[in-house]
Amino acid sequence: MRCLLALLPLLVSLPLQAVDLVVVEKAQRTMTLYQDGQEVKRFHIAMGDSPSGHKLQEGDQRTPQGRYILDYKKQDSAYYRSIHISYPNAADRLRAEALGVSPGGQIMIHGENPNSALSPEEQQAYNWTNGCIAVTNKEMDQLWQLIRPGTPIEIWP
């Protein structure tokens, strides 16, 4: 028993395994990480200034909806660190083309606005991005460890 207790600090400090699914629920302003169907971690998020509805065009301040891939990480982001969402997909491009607009792009999960006078918690109290998904820098560090390029993300209304 003492041997198990002695190992407990080591087990607690082991990093979590990379997740295999990220789910964003825009109405609840949450992002949940899953591994093998089990919830691993949940975050409160900030999004674009106009979060309702699917992103239709560049500059509409909306966060896209649908299934995408978290396809690469950017260490030197203007917003601390970022993980790119594969928006626009083929359907998004076709929709934008039919509307005669640009679908936009560069939608990311990222950290805090470095130019804000607000605390990280105050920043998260409202939607302030141009369509991205924002978390605190501390939370971004956790995501950085848990998300690998190629992880699917589902973004729901």
Side-chain angles (χ1 to χ4, degrees), residues 1 14 42 51 58 66 74 77 82 87 94 99 125 128 137 151:
M1 181 67 168
L14 287 175
R42 185 174 296 216
E58 185 172 12
K74 187 169 173 29
S77 169
S82 60
Y87 174 88
L94 282 172
L99 294 171
W128 58 269
N137 290 352
T151 302

Side-chain angles (χ1 to χ4, degrees), residues 55 57-59 84-85 87-88 102-108 130 132:
K55 183 168 193 62
Q57 68 182 41
E58 185 172 12
H84 185 258
I85 299 170
Y87 174 88
S102 167
Q106 292 303 306
I107 303 297
M108 308 272 195
N130 290 328
C132 293

Side-chain angles (χ1 to χ4, degrees), residues 131-144:
C132 293
I133 297 167
V135 295
T136 67
N137 290 352
K138 183 178 177 182
E139 292 168 333
M140 193 65 214
D141 286 339
Q142 294 173 31
L143 292 170
W144 200 259

Side-chain angles (χ1 to χ4, degrees), residues 6 24 26 36 70 76 94 97 119 122-123 133 140 154:
V24 171
K26 291 169 53 173
D36 295 327
L70 296 167
D76 61 342
L94 282 172
E97 184 178 325
S119 73
E122 290 170 323
Q123 283 186 49
I133 297 167
M140 193 65 214
E154 298 177 0

Side-chain angles (χ1 to χ4, degrees), residues 40-73:
V40 172
K41 186 92 176 154
R42 185 174 296 216
F43 299 89
H44 177 77
I45 60 171
M47 294 171 288
D49 291 335
S50 299
S52 296
H54 180 56
K55 183 168 193 62
L56 297 176
Q57 68 182 41
E58 185 172 12
D60 66 9
Q61 306 297 307
R62 291 183 179 164
T63 302
Q65 294 173 182
R67 292 183 173 103
Y68 299 95
I69 299 294
L70 296 167
D71 52 3
Y72 67 86
K73 294 179 174 183

